[in-house]
Amino acid sequence: MTNEQIVKHLFSLQDKKFREFHLKLIPGIEMDKVIGVRTPALRKFAKEIIKAGSGEEFLSSLPHYYYEENQLHSFILSEEKDFDNCIKYVDKFLPYINNWATCDQLLPKVFKKQPQKLLPHINLWIESGETYKIRFAIGMLMQHFLDDLFEERFAQKVASVHSEEYYVKMMQAWYFATALAKQYEPAVKYLEEKKLESWTHNKTIQKAIESFRVPDERKEYLRTLKV
């Protein structure tokens, strides 16, 4: 399956009403770069590309033009079974990510099997100064290091990120809101001791209060910590 055939098929899946709706969710993406394909259809197509043996060729064909091509890239790369190959392709792809949706859809399954091997790469991404590398790094810490592998140094690393970028600050808030559900005692100290910037601090509380995973009595206490 060639890249031209892939793009042609994407247009065959186009939903113009969905396109108009989705454009509002991904500000900063040029209108002519959005085809308008729903996520379930993209996921299904990604599996078809992999099955056809065209996944590696597609992953090597950067940069893509269309937003949906980048979405496909995330879905295909998330299925890569070899850790070293996956890291190689992730490092090549991250500089081309230009929106939160593509960033957040990149969830390589192989990372779950070798999380300790992932840590040095997370450290590089989070210190890169690049918006979506940082967002991706925080997302990986949230996904793989908030349960049995949690260490407070990971929370400290997220808290130490200073950025004016909305999509970085939002991911920091998402991380700490999730930490309040999974690692409450160490996480709540970051609010009590005001270790987060004010916007991120309050957004963390808002997201935790909206979460069904945080008990009501803790939500009441969190409300008292707003700044």
Side-chain angles (χ1 to χ4, degrees):
M1 195 180 299
T2 66
N3 290 342
E4 291 77 11
Q5 289 172 321
I6 288 171
V7 170
K8 184 178 180 180
H9 187 67
L10 285 172
F11 272 95
S12 77
L13 298 171
Q14 185 180 54
D15 182 329
K16 291 183 178 179
K17 286 186 178 179
F18 174 74
R19 178 178 182 270
E20 295 305 311
F21 163 75
H22 198 60
L23 276 167
K24 299 172 186 175
L25 302 180
I26 46 173
I29 305 296
E30 297 94 326
M31 288 183 65
D32 68 332
K33 292 188 175 181
V34 179
I35 298 169
V37 184
R38 293 178 180 272
T39 298
L42 285 171
R43 289 186 185 278
K44 183 171 182 258
F45 188 32
K47 290 179 181 178
E48 291 170 4
I49 293 170
I50 294 169
K51 189 174 180 180
S54 304
E56 192 162 349
E57 180 182 351
F58 184 74
L59 294 179
S60 300
S61 61
L62 288 167
H64 303 301
Y65 183 80
Y66 291 105
Y67 161 78
E68 281 81 2
E69 289 181 278
N70 283 326
Q71 292 293 87
L72 274 181
H73 199 112
S74 283
F75 293 138
I76 292 169
L77 187 45
S78 294
E79 299 297 326
E80 172 60 50
K81 292 180 170 59
D82 180 88
F83 182 93
D84 293 331
N85 256 354
C86 191
I87 283 290
K88 178 183 75 173
Y89 282 120
V90 166
D91 277 332
K92 286 182 179 179
F93 185 44
L94 286 177
Y96 295 102
I97 293 179
N98 61 358
N99 68 90
W100 67 267
T102 301
C103 184
D104 294 359
Q105 297 286 16
L106 183 56
L107 298 167
K109 295 176 182 176
V110 71
F111 288 173
K112 187 176 182 179
K113 296 179 180 179
Q114 294 181 278
Q116 296 300 337
K117 197 173 177 181
L118 178 62
L119 274 175
H121 301 279
I122 289 176
N123 291 336
L124 289 174
W125 298 326
I126 208 168
E127 294 169 6
S128 68
E130 298 177 41
T131 299
Y132 292 104
K133 285 186 179 182
I134 298 170
R135 184 179 173 97
F136 181 68
I138 296 172
M140 291 297 96
L141 286 173
M142 182 171 68
Q143 185 182 10
H144 300 296
F145 296 92
L146 268 183
D147 293 298
D148 295 343
L149 297 177
F150 175 76
E151 296 178 32
E152 193 162 344
R153 65 188 175 106
F154 302 142
Q156 178 57 43
K157 185 168 284 291
V158 175
S160 69
V161 172
H162 297 289
S163 173
E164 293 304 312
E165 292 288 343
Y166 172 83
Y167 291 106
V168 171
K169 295 194 292 183
M170 184 60 83
M171 182 57 89
Q172 285 176 294
W174 188 6
Y175 173 90
F176 277 102
T178 306
L180 286 167
K182 293 188 171 186
Q183 303 289 345
Y184 180 80
E185 294 300 335
V188 76
K189 292 177 185 176
Y190 284 84
L191 301 176
E192 292 171 335
E193 298 172 13
K194 297 181 174 57
K195 291 183 177 180
L196 305 177
E197 294 175 2
S198 296
W199 187 94
T200 308
H201 177 108
N202 287 334
K203 184 60 71 172
T204 295
I205 293 171
Q206 177 192 326
K207 292 176 79 67
I209 288 171
E210 292 169 354
S211 173
F212 67 90
R213 295 184 293 181
V214 177
D216 288 343
E217 62 273 15
R218 287 181 174 172
K219 290 179 181 180
E220 287 303 313
Y221 176 59
L222 291 174
R223 286 187 176 95
T224 71
L225 297 177
K226 290 181 182 178
V227 296

